[in-house]
Amino acid sequence: MLIKEKNQLKVDDRLKHIAFIMDGNGRWAKSRLLPRKVGHKFGAENFKKVVRLCFEAGIKAVTVYAFSTENWSRPKDEIDSIIALLKEYIEAVKQEKDVRVVFIGDKTSLPESLSSIMIKAEEETKHRPLYLYIAFNYGGRAEIVKACNELIAEGKAIISEADISSHVYTNEMSDPDLIVRTAGEYRISNFLLWQSAYSEFYFTNVYWPDFDRKELYKAIENFYTRKRRYGGLNKDEE
């Protein structure tokens, strides 16, 4: 049951995991005649607020698409600003009491100065109850290839769906129930390809820096209007 009281939503177990494609930071800045990196700064601040709102609503896991394997083609100063913001957040999240941070994506090709602090943050927060998956240097196709190669290395001759599910980055948490994409784009951009098979999707024209409590609640309320069939029929449709 979805409960709304004192301007705050409380979800039930139908919504345990929510994911965000945080799109529109650059366009938000451009619309204000500001550099793109300013948009990323405002987007990073908003990310912190939205994640906390999700946890306060009772959602157990949040995944955010922070930087894809394709984003390296962007201008160097923009990439540098994103990495600097990520480092700032890593230091901040270690001060939290309840958030476990897990970085999903290929850490092996990142600079050691970045991958080492990612690994340290994961270790320091690993006993906390709420999951925050940050997809950085992440690609959904590469994730599936990684899972298959790990299974082959383990000696698997035949690979099942359960095998792959146990080897994707988010294997400790259920698949996302809801995936939200901002800024008016209607594609998933190589994000959680395996995990999103039965996720509900919500698209909004709002740029990520403007995606506030009101917009989050609209997405959640919309989710609760959906009938999730997982390929079958609900009892009232039989």
Side-chain angles (χ1 to χ4, degrees), residues 13-235:
D13 280 345
R14 282 178 287 175
L15 182 51
K16 297 187 290 290
H17 186 176
I18 187 169
F20 296 96
I21 302 175
M22 305 182 294
D23 201 7
N25 291 333
R27 280 171 283 167
W28 179 91
K30 186 177 179 180
S31 70
R32 289 162 173 76
L33 304 179
L34 298 169
R36 288 178 60 86
K37 63 183 181 181
V38 175
H40 291 300
K41 177 175 175 58
F42 277 85
E45 289 301 316
N46 196 50
F47 144 75
K48 299 174 194 175
K49 296 174 185 176
V50 171
V51 169
R52 180 49 61 185
L53 286 170
C54 289
F55 289 145
E56 289 175 354
I59 297 169
K60 302 296 190 297
V62 178
T63 300
V64 295
Y65 205 3
F67 195 85
S68 77
T69 49
E70 292 74 36
N71 287 154
W72 294 106
S73 63
R74 294 189 176 190
K76 184 178 183 300
D77 67 329
E78 183 177 348
I79 294 172
D80 289 345
S81 69
I82 292 171
I83 291 175
L85 289 167
L86 177 64
K87 288 181 176 179
E88 286 180 19
Y89 180 71
I90 290 173
E91 291 306 310
V93 76
K94 289 192 292 187
Q95 308 306 315
E96 300 273 356
K97 296 180 179 180
D98 55 355
V99 179
R100 175 180 182 178
V101 64
V102 180
F103 293 95
I104 64 175
D106 181 12
K107 297 187 191 75
T108 63
S109 61
L110 294 175
E112 194 276 336
S113 59
L114 177 58
S115 62
S116 62
I117 62 174
M118 286 177 163
I119 294 167
K120 184 177 180 182
E122 290 177 329
E123 179 65 24
E124 291 183 10
T125 63
K126 67 181 181 180
H127 298 299
R128 298 176 184 175
L130 301 175
Y131 279 79
L132 172 59
Y133 293 105
I134 299 179
F136 194 92
N137 197 27
Y138 173 88
R141 288 180 175 179
E143 177 181 29
I144 296 169
V145 171
K146 174 198 78 75
C148 291
N149 283 332
E150 287 176 353
L151 290 160
I152 291 169
E154 291 171 10
K156 282 279 187 178
I158 299 175
I159 296 173
S160 68
E161 289 186 17
D163 289 331
I164 295 177
S165 292
S166 69
H167 281 71
V168 295
Y169 292 117
T170 57
N171 62 71
E172 294 185 50
M173 182 53 62
S174 60
D175 293 339
D177 301 294
L178 174 62
I179 297 178
V180 176
R181 181 163 191 159
T182 58
E185 303 293 352
Y186 294 86
R187 56 182 177 270
I188 57 175
S189 298
N190 202 19
F191 181 54
L192 301 182
L193 298 182
W194 183 265
Q195 299 92 324
S196 64
Y198 284 104
S199 300
E200 298 293 328
F201 284 82
Y202 180 86
F203 300 97
T204 174
N205 291 326
V206 175
Y207 292 144
W208 176 254
D210 292 328
F211 188 85
D212 56 11
R213 178 193 296 265
K214 178 182 176 182
E215 295 299 328
L216 174 65
Y217 285 4
K218 280 169 63 176
I220 292 174
E221 288 171 343
N222 182 272
F223 169 81
Y224 274 86
T225 68
R226 312 282 182 91
K227 292 185 177 181
R228 306 187 74 190
R229 300 177 179 85
Y230 299 96
L233 294 175
N234 292 324
K235 289 183 178 180

